[in-house]
Amino acid sequence: MAIAHHSVPMPSLVRSYDGVIIIGYMAFAVVMLAAIYFASGGPSFTDADLSSMAMMP
């Protein structure tokens, strides 16, 4: 019994959202980095606070 192999690629009926999801995660990361940057400019925010925040999410 032989397995039939198609030489022509079959079109996918399911739309691929991989690119949209990756761009969404990248945008979310940029927003979070901007939030950390602006929060670190506060008067009571020290380097120790920033390092502990980075190490213990």
Side-chain angles (χ1 to χ4, degrees):
M1 182 162 36
I3 298 175
H5 292 285
H6 297 285
S7 61
V8 178
M10 297 292 293
S12 176
L13 298 177
V14 179
R15 185 172 176 183
S16 175
Y17 290 104
D18 292 344
V20 175
I21 292 170
I22 290 172
I23 290 173
Y25 276 117
M26 288 176 18
F28 181 72
V30 167
V31 167
M32 290 298 109
L33 287 174
I36 291 171
Y37 174 76
F38 288 119
S40 67
S44 64
F45 199 80
T46 64
D47 290 338
D49 293 333
L50 182 62
S51 63
S52 67
M53 183 176 63
M55 294 305 292
M56 296 180 287

